[in-house]
Amino acid sequence: MANRLKINEMDKVLGYAEAHIEQQNFEGAVVVLHAAMKQLVATLAGEDMNNPSDPDITIYTSKECMVSIDDIKEVCARTLGVSVAEINSRKRTQDVALARQCAIFYTRKQGYKVEELGKVFDRDHSNISHACRAIENMLECDPVMAAKINLVGKNIDAN
């Protein structure tokens, strides 16, 4: 079920965006506004705005994600031949960076929020967004890396 945005919550969204702009965190403002616009489009596309079970805009993920972050880290580590400790570290070797980016990518696909992943992976939200874009680019442009990344995804689904 897609998150829906109530029209009267736009002030809350604009407040988040203004806070990011005041801190000169323009990418954060864009992320907040982009997410709000996607929710607004879903709302205007015919979703029931008067449903009391509609979720509010939240910074943290609701507990509806199917696979835990720790399980995803474990599968990424095992599949790509690194340790979970290395994924959690600041190490930037290619194998560790790929495993970390895969873990971030697949946790985002599970529905975890950027802000939450930033805290879990001890990274800035822009690093989380970059990791997702990097994996998407590899999936499109590099068949060898795409095979590794898809193998991780299959192992997560099988878990």
Side-chain angles (χ1 to χ4, degrees):
M1 179 171 102
N3 287 339
R4 292 176 298 280
L5 180 66
K6 296 177 183 146
I7 301 298
N8 60 359
E9 292 177 335
M10 284 304 291
D11 287 338
K12 186 176 178 181
V13 171
L14 292 174
Y16 285 135
E18 286 176 10
H20 283 287
I21 291 169
E22 286 173 6
Q23 297 170 3
Q24 294 188 347
N25 180 3
F26 302 113
E27 186 173 334
V30 169
V31 168
V32 168
L33 291 172
H34 179 260
M37 292 303 295
K38 284 177 66 175
Q39 291 176 355
L40 184 58
V41 167
T43 301
L44 296 175
E47 301 286 341
D48 180 11
M49 295 186 318
N50 297 319
N51 185 348
S53 67
D54 283 352
D56 290 328
I57 296 173
T58 56
I59 298 293
Y60 295 100
T61 305
S62 63
K63 299 301 177 196
E64 297 174 6
C65 297
M66 295 173 61
V67 182
S68 75
I69 295 172
D70 290 335
D71 288 344
I72 291 173
K73 284 182 182 180
E74 180 63 39
V75 170
C76 289
R78 186 173 2 103
T79 305
L80 297 173
V82 300
S83 69
V84 174
E86 287 177 308
I87 289 176
N88 292 330
S89 73
R90 304 297 291 179
K91 194 172 179 182
R92 298 188 318 173
T93 58
Q94 186 175 14
D95 57 340
V96 174
L98 177 63
R100 184 182 306 115
Q101 288 173 337
C102 281
I104 291 168
F105 176 77
Y106 283 111
T107 52
R108 280 291 289 146
K109 281 187 73 171
Q110 286 290 320
Y112 290 95
K113 304 284 185 193
V114 171
E115 294 86 358
E116 184 174 10
L117 295 177
K119 289 184 181 193
V120 169
F121 286 93
D122 191 27
R123 298 289 191 279
D124 187 71
H125 74 278
S126 62
N127 296 111
I128 302 302
S129 298
H130 170 75
C132 293
R133 280 193 311 272
I135 294 295
E136 288 168 356
N137 289 340
M138 285 184 238
L139 286 170
E140 284 183 21
C141 302
D142 189 341
V144 173
M145 294 301 264
K148 290 181 182 181
I149 295 164
N150 288 328
L151 179 61
V152 171
K154 287 177 187 172
N155 289 342
I156 289 170
D157 291 341
N159 198 14

